[in-house]
């Protein structure tokens, strides 16, 4: 049975609803809003591509032989790119395959610079730095080795410093982020030791070029086998630079010292004319490193994916220093998860890496090799301040950082540097969703116009408004006073929905599209069903003999379960559709689920308490005003069934 009317306090539910409105619209006006925003800007929701237009970027897949990539790899790349875009927020992005090698991304809003990075391959590699030299193309000074400038660093077991991980375990932090890079270093926790990284040195090395010289540690004595395509490109390069230059470069086993042999500079000069994108990438890593005319500017301009082969040595640059890197022994696939977090001790944003179980073993083994410089693989030019190897964090063709390893790291790690919240989460997103199976080249971002014009949008909203008006007129005609409850409930639901749209657009990037509007309109059917269920149940209670006042509580008790069940089914359908769908269908599902939840809020915090308050008024007890006239006239009254007329009682007496 329903609780006695005296125990019902509708004011409390209405007060809770009022508090929700106050908090929601305080967020609308003051949370995430630039200080000088106008009132209209504060109230403006985030609109989708089909309503306001947006930005379109086309990524073209490139392959080594120029052929079209496999369709399954192109689809896999599309899914990864879509995941990266969606990580920017629930933004209704359109990510589609176009033709045999293009992926087109369309996102609402003009000048979306964040789209330019989602197509990066994000091939993460951890490689030991075997050798280092000046990559500016300037002749090195004649010296056997270059010692990096001393810097404050702590040996294992030292007290924690600003670079320590929050947990107090072993950590490695990098030097300031190199220009053009995306961040800084690697860190780890575990082992109970503290280690800091030295700044990236710009060492020099000298040795007279000789074809018979003994290869230094870490250098390949003979070029590794290459594919037919690479061999053909090298043949063309040999023809371009000439036999003399090619023979001199092939005979180098250390960095050419142009200061001790001026004629060598003239001999190797043709290498400075090579095309970085089409030719330099195909050279043997030893040649890329040893020939001074192959500068960091040329290496940084190589085609994407030039050094992703983890089984081969590679050459890459950081802050003007050119590094010969070992084979990659820890890969991006060894990272279980990645997230951008704020380091509480340093106050900087970092990318936290959690390795898989196998990845953790590889990472520990790599740091052990670097810490002990096993086999003297790292020569004097590459050693850090503590005479231990450095490990370069290589993302695609770029060295993010190369800190010295001063402890065997047995825990998870961090990439640190001059990150912002956006850049840390962007890099974490790339690592979290995996590397692309293909290499892409991005076209310039283009602004596109809305597919649905402003006139059509206004016409659609006008049609929706007229439809709502007809519903309100019918409700007043059929339910009279009860129609007021329907009308007010719809108004409150609309205000809640609008406020939620504005807040969610700022906080999670939810974008309202035509599909989302359709989801909100469909949700009105669920809201209308809950009205009909309640009011018709109320009529049934009156037909059974109860007064309108007493029927309100009992009708609510019996209709409540049905209303909750109907909304729960709609909500589950929206959740399932959101999980399995993509693109605009996902936006439709999100809007439907949001509107369903808000409808339940209005049902419990407004409709029921207002009906309870109406039941205590004389207008509600008037059949002509309440809309219950016919039902009240038809119901068998309690007086007709249980109470005899007064005249009969007197006669019997």
């Amino acid at each position: 049975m329903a609780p006695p009317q005296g125990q019902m306090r509708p004011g409390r539910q209405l007060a809770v609803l009022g508090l929700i409105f106050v908090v929601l619209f305080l967020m609308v006006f003051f949370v995430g809003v630039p200080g000088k925003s106008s009132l209209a800007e504060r109230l403006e929701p985030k609109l989708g591509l089909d309503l306001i237009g947006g930005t379109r970027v086309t990524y073209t897949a490139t392959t080594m032989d120029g052929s079209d990539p496999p369709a399954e790899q192109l689809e896999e790349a599309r899914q990864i790119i879509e995941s990266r875009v969606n990580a920017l927020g629930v933004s209704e992005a359109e990510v589609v395959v176009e033709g045999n090698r293009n992926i087109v991304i369309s996102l609402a809003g003009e000048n979306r610079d964040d789209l330019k990075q989602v197509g990066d391959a994000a091939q993460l590699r951890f490689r030991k730095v075997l050798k280092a030299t000046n990559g500016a193309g300037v002749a090195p000074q004649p010296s056997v080795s270059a010692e990096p400038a001393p810097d404050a660093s702590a040996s294992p077991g030292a007290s924690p410093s600003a670079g320590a991980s929050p947990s107090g375990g072993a950590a490695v932090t990098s030097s300031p982020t190199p220009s053009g890079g995306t961040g800084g270093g690697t860190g780890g926790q575990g082992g109970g030791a503290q280690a800091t990284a030295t700044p990236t040195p710009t060492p020099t090395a000298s040795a007279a070029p000789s074809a018979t010289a003994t290869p230094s540690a870490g250098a390949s004595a003979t070029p590794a086998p290459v594919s037919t395509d690479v061999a053909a490109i090298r043949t063309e390069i040999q023809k371009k630079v000439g036999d003399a230059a090619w023979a001199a470069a092939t005979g180098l086993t250390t960095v050419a010292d142009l200061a001790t042999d001026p004629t060598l500079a003239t001999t190797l000069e043709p290498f400075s004319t090579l095309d970085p994108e089409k030719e330099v990438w195909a050279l043997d890593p030893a040649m890329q490193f040893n020939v001074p005319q192959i500068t960091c500017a040329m290496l940084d301009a190589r085609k994407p994916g030039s050094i992703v082969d983890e089984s081969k040595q590679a050459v890459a640059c950081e802050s003007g220093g050119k590094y010969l890197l070992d084979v990659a022994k820890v890969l991006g696939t060894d990272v279980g998860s990645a997230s951008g977090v704020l380091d509480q001790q340093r106050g900087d944003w970092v990318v936290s890496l959690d390795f898989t179980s196998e990845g953790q073993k590889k990472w520990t083994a790599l740091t052990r090799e670097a810490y002990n410089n096993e086999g003297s693989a790292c020569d004097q030019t590459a050693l850090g301040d503590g005479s231990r190897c450095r490990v370069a964090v290589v993302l695609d063709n770029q060295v993010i950082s190369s800190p010295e390893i001063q402890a065997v790291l047995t825990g998870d790690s961090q990439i640190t540097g001059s990150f912002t919240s956006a850049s840390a989460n962007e890099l974490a997103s790339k690592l979290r969703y995996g590397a692309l199976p293909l290499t892409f080249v991005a076209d310039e971002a283009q602004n596109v116009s809305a597919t649905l014009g402003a006139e059509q949008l206004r016409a659609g909203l006008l049609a929706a408004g007229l439809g709502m008006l007809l519903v309100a007129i019918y409700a007043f005609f059929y339910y009279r006073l009860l129609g007021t409850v329907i009308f007010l409930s719809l108004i409150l639901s609309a205000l809640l929905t609008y406020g939620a749209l504005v807040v969610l657009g700022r906080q999670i990037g939810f974008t309202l599209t035509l599909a989302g509007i359709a989801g909100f309109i469909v949700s009105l059917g669920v809201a209308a069903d809950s009205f009909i269920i309640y009011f018709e149940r109320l009529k049934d209670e009156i037909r059974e003999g109860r007064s309108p006042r007493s029927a309100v509580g009992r009708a609510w008790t019996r209709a409540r379960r049905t209303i909750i069940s109907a909304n729960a089914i709609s909500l589950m359908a929206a959740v399932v559709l959101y999980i399995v769908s993509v693109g605009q269908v996902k936006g439709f599902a999100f809007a439907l689920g949001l509107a369903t939840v808000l409808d339940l809020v209005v049902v419990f915090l407004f409709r029921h308490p207002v009906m309870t308050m109406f039941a205590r008024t004389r207008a509600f007890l008037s059949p002509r005003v309440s809309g219950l006239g016919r039902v009240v006239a038809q119901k068998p009254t309690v007086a007709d069934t249980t109470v005899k007329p007064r005249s009969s009682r007197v006669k019997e007496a």
Side-chain angles (χ1 to χ4, degrees), residues 74-84 95 103 433:
L74 199 61
E75 174 60 23
E76 180 184 355
R78 187 200 68 79
Q79 295 177 4
I80 294 175
I81 290 176
E82 185 175 47
S83 298
R84 292 179 181 178
V95 183
I103 292 180
Y433 294 112

Side-chain angles (χ1 to χ4, degrees), residues 549-620:
R549 177 178 295 180
S550 63
V552 168
R554 190 167 183 86
W556 166 251
T557 302
R558 294 189 173 184
R560 180 174 54 199
R561 293 182 181 179
T562 307
I563 293 173
I564 293 175
S565 299
N567 281 272
I569 292 173
S570 296
L571 185 59
M572 286 189 293
V575 170
V576 172
L577 188 61
Y578 181 83
I579 294 174
V580 302
S581 63
V582 296
Q584 292 191 350
V585 179
K586 188 184 289 286
F588 169 85
F590 188 89
L592 178 60
L594 175 63
T596 301
V597 171
L598 296 179
D599 176 62
L600 282 173
V601 172
V602 173
V603 166
F604 280 87
L605 298 182
F606 177 76
R607 189 181 310 166
H608 176 44
V610 164
M611 286 295 296
T612 302
M613 295 175 67
F614 277 178
R616 299 174 182 176
T617 64
R618 292 185 178 182
F620 185 82

Side-chain angles (χ1 to χ4, degrees), residues 230-280:
V230 173
I233 296 175
R234 291 183 180 179
T235 301
E236 293 297 323
I237 294 175
Q238 182 176 353
K239 294 179 181 179
K240 182 175 181 178
V241 301
D243 292 338
W246 185 263
T250 304
L252 293 173
T253 55
T254 58
V255 178
D257 189 350
L258 305 183
T260 60
D261 189 355
T263 60
L264 191 59
T266 304
T267 304
L268 298 176
E269 183 60 29
F271 280 94
S272 63
T273 64
L274 296 181
D275 188 315
E277 183 175 348
K278 298 180 180 179
E279 296 172 329
V280 170

Side-chain angles (χ1 to χ4, degrees), residues 229-539:
D229 296 330
V230 173
I233 296 175
R234 291 183 180 179
T235 301
E236 293 297 323
I237 294 175
Q238 182 176 353
K239 294 179 181 179
K240 182 175 181 178
V241 301
D243 292 338
W246 185 263
T250 304
L252 293 173
T253 55
T254 58
V255 178
D257 189 350
L258 305 183
T260 60
D261 189 355
T263 60
L264 191 59
T266 304
T267 304
L268 298 176
E269 183 60 29
F271 280 94
S272 63
T273 64
L274 296 181
D275 188 315
E277 183 175 348
K278 298 180 180 179
E279 296 172 329
V280 170
W281 72 272
L283 294 175
D284 181 73
M287 188 177 295
Q288 294 180 33
F289 181 77
N290 292 330
V291 177
Q293 282 76 4
I294 300 178
T295 64
C296 281
M298 299 172 68
L299 293 172
D300 290 340
R302 286 173 296 182
K303 63 188 300 184
S306 297
I307 58 173
V308 297
D309 190 343
E310 67 270 14
S311 63
K312 297 179 180 179
Q313 293 182 351
V315 178
C317 294
E318 179 192 22
S319 277
K322 185 165 62 170
Y323 301 155
L324 177 65
L325 305 174
D326 196 9
V327 298
K329 297 182 179 179
V330 181
L331 312 179
T333 53
D334 295 318
V335 177
S337 65
S339 59
V341 297
L342 183 63
D343 190 318
Q344 298 297 329
Q345 291 189 4
R346 300 177 56 190
D348 297 331
W349 281 91
V350 300
V351 179
S352 177
L353 303 179
D354 297 329
F355 290 104
T356 62
S357 57
E358 288 299 317
Q360 185 60 63
K361 295 177 183 178
K362 295 179 182 179
W363 173 242
T364 301
L366 177 60
T367 57
R368 182 179 293 110
E369 286 184 24
Y371 178 71
N372 297 320
N373 193 12
E374 295 179 0
S376 299
C378 308
D379 73 0
Q380 289 297 318
T381 63
L383 296 180
D385 217 18
S387 298
R388 297 184 176 91
C389 292
R390 290 181 286 141
V391 171
V393 185
V394 186
L395 185 68
D396 298 332
N397 290 349
Q398 301 293 327
V399 175
I400 297 179
S401 67
S402 57
E404 179 184 8
I405 300 299
Q406 293 193 356
V408 178
L409 305 178
T410 59
D412 299 329
S413 301
Q414 292 178 340
I415 300 177
T416 64
S418 300
F419 284 114
T420 63
S421 173
S423 61
N425 283 287
E426 177 187 331
L427 178 57
S429 172
K430 293 176 183 177
L431 301 179
R432 184 166 60 249
Y433 294 112
L436 296 178
L438 298 169
T439 300
F440 289 89
V441 176
D443 294 341
E444 288 295 326
Q446 298 177 343
N447 292 330
V448 296
S449 59
T451 57
L452 184 67
E455 292 296 330
Q456 289 82 354
L457 177 59
R458 281 193 292 269
L461 294 177
L462 178 61
L466 290 175
M468 291 293 295
L469 179 61
L470 292 176
V471 171
I473 292 174
Y474 179 79
F476 281 116
F477 176 79
Y478 189 77
Y479 289 112
R480 300 186 184 178
L481 181 63
L482 299 183
T484 305
V485 180
I486 298 177
F487 181 74
L488 292 176
S489 296
L490 292 177
I491 293 296
L492 292 177
S493 294
L495 291 175
L496 280 176
T497 302
Y498 187 82
L501 283 177
V502 175
V503 173
L504 292 177
R506 296 173 189 160
Q507 300 301 318
I508 67 172
F510 176 70
T511 304
L512 179 63
T513 63
L514 190 61
I517 294 175
F520 288 122
I521 293 176
V522 170
S523 69
L524 294 177
V526 179
D529 287 343
S530 63
F531 282 114
I532 294 173
I533 291 170
Y534 184 28
F535 292 157
E536 293 305 315
R537 184 67 242 181
L538 177 62
K539 291 181 178 181

